[in-house]
Amino acid sequence: MAVLTQFDSQLWQWCDMSYAQNKALCLELQNSCQVNVNLLLLAQYLDITMDVSGPQQYSTDQWQSLMSAVGEWDERFLMPYRKLRKLAKSSLNEQEYQQMLAVELMMERKAQRTILNKLNELSPSGQATNLVSYLSLFGLSDMDANEIGLIAP
């Protein structure tokens, strides 16, 4: 199912806008529950665009496979770099810090490509919304997903 390849640019632009509107919530879920923000926003995007493009509900197992696909990259490169950036913040000038943020964004884009490649290998087989299925991996319930209810851009 290579349907999403055509939406690559549109998808991640939408995710960028959604992240900008929901940054505090996304970071809270990332820091407190270890939620992958790219996957969180993808789940929301798929749920919102489902009416237009037909059912695209992925199962909890499929969300787990997406997490696994990007997990090694995140653990080996992205998370250590993010930690380094946070530690270095107090010793960098604003321009240097912005450069570090730009590198981190490039690393996020690499993770997004990995996610999209894996997603294109899957055929939707979920019964619940993507947000509910994804958040259930972190012990969050349907009610939690409804309360989280990210704001759509």
Side-chain angles (χ1 to χ4, degrees), residues 7-139:
F7 298 119
D8 189 8
S9 175
Q10 174 187 347
L11 166 68
W12 299 118
Q13 286 175 356
W14 184 94
C15 288
D16 285 345
M17 289 187 308
S18 182
Y19 178 78
Q21 290 181 327
N22 299 289
K23 184 176 180 176
L25 176 59
C26 289
L27 292 176
E28 178 185 334
L29 289 169
Q30 176 181 283
N31 296 333
S32 64
C33 301
Q34 285 66 54
V35 166
N36 180 301
V37 173
N38 282 326
L39 291 174
L40 177 71
L41 295 172
L42 175 62
Q44 183 191 22
Y45 177 84
L46 291 171
D47 288 342
I48 289 171
T49 60
M50 183 171 42
D51 295 334
V52 176
S53 56
Q56 291 185 358
Q57 294 173 311
Y58 293 87
S59 69
T60 303
D61 287 343
Q62 289 174 312
W63 282 104
Q64 180 65 54
S65 73
L66 289 168
M67 279 179 44
S68 296
V70 75
E72 184 178 348
W73 172 260
D74 284 355
E75 286 179 30
R76 291 184 66 198
F77 301 104
L78 183 59
M79 292 187 315
Y81 185 83
R82 183 176 291 145
K83 184 177 180 179
L84 175 64
R85 176 188 51 80
K86 289 177 181 179
L87 288 170
K89 184 175 184 173
S90 62
S91 16
L92 298 173
N93 66 41
E94 185 59 26
Q95 182 181 2
E96 292 168 330
Y97 186 71
Q98 290 304 316
Q99 288 173 340
M100 286 192 82
L101 281 172
V103 169
E104 188 174 336
L105 184 58
M106 286 189 303
M107 296 172 87
E108 289 281 4
R109 294 286 183 243
K110 164 69 172 134
Q112 290 170 346
R113 283 190 299 279
T114 301
I115 291 167
L116 193 58
N117 288 338
K118 180 63 179 176
L119 188 67
N120 283 326
E121 296 173 6
L122 303 174
S123 294
S125 66
Q127 301 299 314
T129 67
N130 290 296
L131 193 58
V132 167
S133 294
Y134 178 60
L135 291 176
S136 71
L137 295 172
F138 303 93

